[in-house]
Amino acid sequence: MLRIAIQTKGRLNEQSVELLREAGVIIKEEKRKFLMRAANFPVEILFLRDDDIPQTVAMGAADLGIVGYNEVAERGYEVDILQYLGFGGCRISLAVPKNVQYNGLDYFNGKRIATSYPNVLQRFFDEKGITAKIHTITGSVEIAPAAGLADAIFDIVSSGGTLISNGLVEVEQVLHSEAVLIGTPQLCEEKMNIVRQLMSRFDSVQKGYGKKYLVLNLPSSALDEAVKILPAMRSPTVIPLAQSGWCSLQTVVDEKELWDIIERLKAIGAEGILVLALEKIVL
Ligand code: ATP
Ligand code: MG
């Protein structure tokens, strides 16, 4: 039995549960306890605050954990990073009040910086030869400069909206983060087998992120042209239609390119275009 620690509630909870569900690790949500056994896989889920996940995994009280890379980097426990999971993206950045003149890292020498990530910041400053006073704050770091508690902050940024509404500007991006799968070092072979199976399932789910399945009808004479436009896993599937001179084409496309591809296909005579959700890709 493998134990996986995930966030109880918060930004990573929903996507962690969803990733596990799509990988076939299904837990009944109705009567949620802090430790739950999956219905159909030899796995149990331990729900924790994200702060506690790296330590729990390092101690071996959970074999695996899903947590932001930022927490792993800050807490410094010995865990293996097994897989980047493609959600919970953010960065930890230095930000200063918008009215100050910022012209490089030297600005931070002798300044007071408020942060919940003192270790990551100290390492960065050591590397760059900057000496600053780091104040550790666990609550709302972004209000520290306006409250006179700090000259700058080092905090998580995703859209940047929080910084703007507090009169701050991001000046240095220090650490890029996303959710990661972490593991206790030296898991036994029996558990590693389940871990490998899970990781390959996670990989299939991730490959499906941002992808769509496209089905369309096309005059057979335009087929060569369409194959040039379409990306595909190997090459598009072509099925003849009952009406002669026509075929049906099926392929996987990246959501970012979807509209461009559809417009180019329409221009060569494509009709009846269906865009379908795609769940997993197993290579
Ligand atoms: P907990 O109650 O579990 O301690 P928390 O309040 O510390 O939760 P959340 O705000 O739920 O943490 O964020 C969890 C993780 O989500 C962060 O550690 C980070 O990896 C990621 N994340 C992504 N975008 C953001 C963002 N805009 N602000 C904060 N965290 C973000
Ligand atoms: Mg936390």
Side-chain angles (χ1 to χ4, degrees):
M1 174 78 70
L2 200 73
R3 186 179 288 176
I4 310 181
I6 68 169
Q7 200 187 18
T8 315
K9 55 180 165 47
R11 290 172 199 267
L12 301 182
N13 166 267
E14 219 171 276
Q15 277 165 293
S16 304
V17 172
E18 183 62 16
L19 176 66
L20 287 164
R21 194 189 64 73
E22 290 196 31
V25 182
I26 296 173
I27 41 172
K28 294 206 177 68
E29 286 284 321
E30 314 84 75
K31 40 181 195 312
R32 192 145 124 179
K33 303 192 217 81
F34 83 99
L35 186 64
M36 290 186 68
R37 169 84 214 267
N40 50 344
F41 207 66
V43 160
E44 55 188 8
I45 314 288
L46 177 64
F47 292 93
L48 293 177
R49 286 202 53 183
D50 70 344
D51 313 50
D52 299 328
I53 294 176
Q55 187 183 12
T56 306
V57 172
M59 284 165 39
D63 304 298
L64 298 177
I66 296 178
V67 68
Y69 174 71
N70 52 311
E71 287 297 323
V72 181
E74 175 59 25
R75 295 185 193 268
Y77 289 104
E78 201 191 317
V79 293
D80 291 337
I81 294 185
L82 300 174
Q83 205 171 22
Y84 286 80
L85 298 175
F87 62 89
C90 58
R91 53 196 188 267
I92 316 185
S93 295
L94 281 157
V96 301
K98 65 170 190 275
N99 54 0
V100 306
Q101 174 125 32
Y102 180 80
N103 37 27
L105 278 176
D106 275 348
Y107 170 87
F108 295 105
N109 268 315
K111 294 284 199 303
R112 298 164 306 159
I113 329 282
T115 186
S116 306
Y117 295 91
N119 295 322
V120 174
L121 182 58
Q122 189 62 61
R123 282 201 294 273
F124 176 71
F125 279 162
D126 287 349
E127 217 173 87
K128 303 289 180 189
I130 305 289
T131 311
K133 299 191 195 88
I134 299 177
H135 289 279
T136 306
I137 296 185
T138 49
S140 307
V141 169
E142 66 281 358
I143 61 164
L149 295 168
D151 305 303
I153 66 162
F154 178 60
D155 202 9
I156 291 193
V157 183
S158 51
S159 69
T162 311
L163 293 183
I164 293 167
S165 56
N166 284 282
L168 299 166
V169 271
E170 181 178 12
V171 290
E172 304 284 342
Q173 299 187 3
V174 173
L175 185 98
H176 286 263
S177 177
E178 66 182 68
V180 287
L181 180 72
I182 55 171
T184 307
Q186 287 156 359
L187 279 174
C188 67
E189 196 48 32
E190 188 193 335
K191 285 185 174 176
M192 263 326 281
N193 282 335
I194 314 176
V195 172
R196 278 193 281 266
Q197 198 180 353
L198 255 185
M199 283 170 60
S200 128
R201 292 185 184 192
F202 285 170
D203 194 47
S204 298
V205 176
Q206 273 191 73
K207 286 204 170 80
Y209 287 163
K211 296 280 200 300
K212 295 286 173 197
Y213 197 72
L214 199 61
V215 180
L216 54 102
N217 294 333
L218 192 77
S220 305
S221 56
L223 189 57
D224 288 347
E225 203 52 38
V227 171
K228 283 188 213 137
I229 296 171
L230 286 172
M233 317 251 310
R234 197 175 287 275
S235 75
T237 307
V238 183
I239 305 169
L241 291 190
Q243 184 182 346
S244 75
W246 281 79
C247 59
S248 165
L249 255 176
Q250 306 185 2
T251 197
V252 175
V253 300
D254 206 293
E255 204 169 3
K256 289 195 271 306
E257 298 167 3
L258 184 67
W259 287 109
D260 178 50
I261 288 176
I262 287 179
E263 276 146 23
R264 290 167 67 196
L265 289 169
K266 279 171 76 175
I268 60 165
E271 290 180 0
I273 301 174
L274 305 180
V275 180
L276 309 176
L278 193 137
E279 232 180 66
K280 299 176 186 67
I281 299 181
V282 182
L283 295 177

